[in-house]
Amino acid sequence: MGVEKVGFVGFRSADLQALREVFEKGLEMVPTDASSDQVGYLLSDGTRLEAYDHANAFHSFFTTGPVVGFSVPHFERSWERLTRIGVEQLTDIQSEDGRRWVHFRLPDGTVAELIGS
């Protein structure tokens, strides 16, 4: 196997503050660094996640959004927090072998996934 895990995920958003609300209030991420046009997070497995405002010229080549699955230890708690924020649910909650997942839309329209048990 050549790839061990995802090591970096980058988002470019027309509404960085709304995206931060999803990441910080919905998914309980803590920023490691931030400026007016970017924010960075280091996830517990060492993955680096960064989000950039459209004003961030250096990352202007980020023109397509990834579909990222956020793995969380407590699916119900995280999904409850995300629905409270008002994310758009795109699929039914699915499950297999004790794991559950659901796809939803981030504030800028990018599709994301919540995965957990």
Side-chain angles (χ1 to χ4, degrees):
M1 180 185 321
V3 176
E4 294 178 332
K5 68 174 193 152
V6 173
F8 172 86
V9 178
F11 291 88
R12 190 161 173 250
S13 177
D15 191 344
L16 183 60
Q17 292 309 312
L19 188 58
R20 286 188 70 171
E21 182 178 22
V22 169
F23 288 166
E24 295 169 24
K25 292 183 180 175
L27 294 171
E28 301 180 84
M29 292 183 195
V30 177
T32 56
D33 55 276
S35 68
S36 63
D37 66 353
Q38 75 87 31
V39 61
Y41 307 89
L42 186 62
L43 307 183
S44 63
D45 72 349
T47 302
R48 176 79 177 159
L49 186 143
E50 295 181 358
Y52 313 99
D53 188 88
H54 277 254
N56 184 300
F58 182 81
H59 292 93
S60 63
F61 62 93
F62 279 35
T63 57
T64 60
V67 175
V68 176
F70 297 100
S71 181
V72 296
H74 305 287
F75 181 89
E76 280 300 323
R77 185 176 88 183
S78 295
W79 184 238
E80 180 181 308
R81 293 172 68 92
L82 288 167
T83 55
R84 229 181 297 140
I85 290 170
V87 300
E88 178 188 358
Q89 183 174 348
L90 298 176
T91 64
D92 291 334
I93 295 172
Q94 300 170 60
S95 64
E96 184 176 305
D97 297 329
R99 303 283 289 163
R100 294 188 288 175
W101 61 94
V102 63
H103 288 86
F104 62 97
R105 193 174 307 282
L106 296 171
D108 68 350
T110 302
V111 175
E113 179 183 32
L114 185 70
I115 307 164
S117 50

